[in-house]
Amino acid sequence: MVSPAKRSVNTISADRRFLIEIARGGCDQTLGALLESYRPYFLKIAEDTMDSGLRPKLSPSDLVQGSLVIAAEKFHQFRGETDDELLNWLRTIFRNQLTDGVRRYRVAQKRATGREACDSSVSIEKEMASPSESIAAHEEVDRLLAGIERLPPLAREVVRMRYLEDLSFAQIADRLDCSPDMSRRVWLKAIDDLGRELGN
């Protein structure tokens, strides 16, 4: 017998599939709302992973905004049908934007370093420490997103509702037809599992 929570997860996925179909049919308003719903998710990831040295050049909000703009412009290239497929497609755009931001930052840093006096005691390698950390952060984004995808369906949906829709545990419980305490426990276990995975 399928549990109420599992049934609710399937219903939410079906609703998103329907929105994707409407957006693909040319409804710009639906497409905008669909892409906008992912903003909190990617903004949280950007804020958690972007190196502080990169932020003066590319803020987390600018990175996410640029990613969503590109997604809107290239949505006709999206060939998937499900929420998971759309999220993976958006993740690729987000990752590419982050990589481009790091690359531009590296070029700017190299030019700035080249203008310094020749007797500068700061090496290029040391100057490039922050961009290197940004590349590591880029890899961390992949690990985090991949880790979320490997969570059990219920845990993955709870994490997405917290990130994507910024829902409270009571609201999540209402969506999944369970208690707020259960939704909180699922969330905490998922975060604990992700923490252990990323720590390895």
Side-chain angles (χ1 to χ4, degrees):
M1 180 178 180
V2 179
S3 68
K6 177 66 173 178
R7 190 179 303 112
S8 296
V9 170
N10 291 337
T11 300
I12 292 170
S13 296
D15 289 343
R16 288 174 179 161
R17 180 191 291 262
F18 181 61
L19 291 177
I20 291 171
E21 290 177 358
I22 294 176
R24 178 170 283 128
C27 181
D28 292 339
Q29 185 175 359
T30 298
L31 174 59
L34 181 63
L35 295 179
E36 188 66 25
S37 71
Y38 289 87
R39 183 184 298 274
Y41 177 78
F42 284 107
L43 184 59
K44 175 66 174 175
I45 292 173
E47 290 174 343
D48 287 348
T49 59
M50 284 180 65
D51 177 75
S52 59
L54 179 60
R55 295 192 182 202
K57 299 292 184 181
L58 180 66
S59 70
S61 59
D62 287 343
L63 172 64
V64 175
Q65 176 65 20
S67 299
L68 295 181
V69 168
I70 290 175
E73 293 173 348
K74 297 186 176 181
F75 187 72
H76 64 281
Q77 298 177 4
F78 173 61
R79 295 293 179 261
E81 298 178 352
T82 67
D83 178 49
D84 285 343
E85 290 171 327
L86 179 57
L87 184 59
N88 287 335
W89 185 72
L90 291 173
R91 179 175 65 180
T92 299
I93 294 174
F94 175 80
R95 184 176 59 236
N96 290 341
Q97 286 294 101
L98 177 58
T99 301
D100 288 344
V102 171
R103 185 180 300 114
R104 288 194 300 270
Y105 180 74
R106 289 176 66 94
V107 170
Q109 284 292 93
K110 285 182 179 179
R111 288 175 178 171
T113 301
R115 289 194 295 268
E116 292 177 352
C118 294
D119 60 352
S120 173
S121 61
V122 180
S123 67
I124 292 179
E125 288 77 13
K126 185 173 182 180
E127 285 295 314
M128 298 312 296
S130 289
S132 296
E133 291 172 6
S134 291
I135 291 175
H138 160 66
E139 295 171 351
E140 194 74 359
V141 169
D142 280 349
R143 292 182 62 202
L144 176 59
L145 292 173
I148 291 174
E149 292 306 308
R150 285 193 292 270
L151 290 171
L154 178 59
R156 186 169 64 243
E157 193 62 33
V158 170
V159 169
R160 288 183 182 177
M161 281 191 283
R162 285 288 288 179
Y163 275 138
L164 285 175
E165 303 176 48
D166 198 26
L167 297 182
S168 68
F169 291 115
Q171 291 170 317
I172 293 173
D174 185 60
R175 290 274 193 92
L176 299 180
D177 194 21
C178 65
S179 69
D181 185 58
M182 177 183 174
S183 68
R184 183 185 296 273
R185 288 200 305 269
V186 172
W187 162 262
L188 291 175
K189 185 179 186 306
I191 296 304
D192 185 56
D193 291 343
L194 285 172
R196 285 200 303 271
E197 179 173 337
L198 294 176
N200 292 333

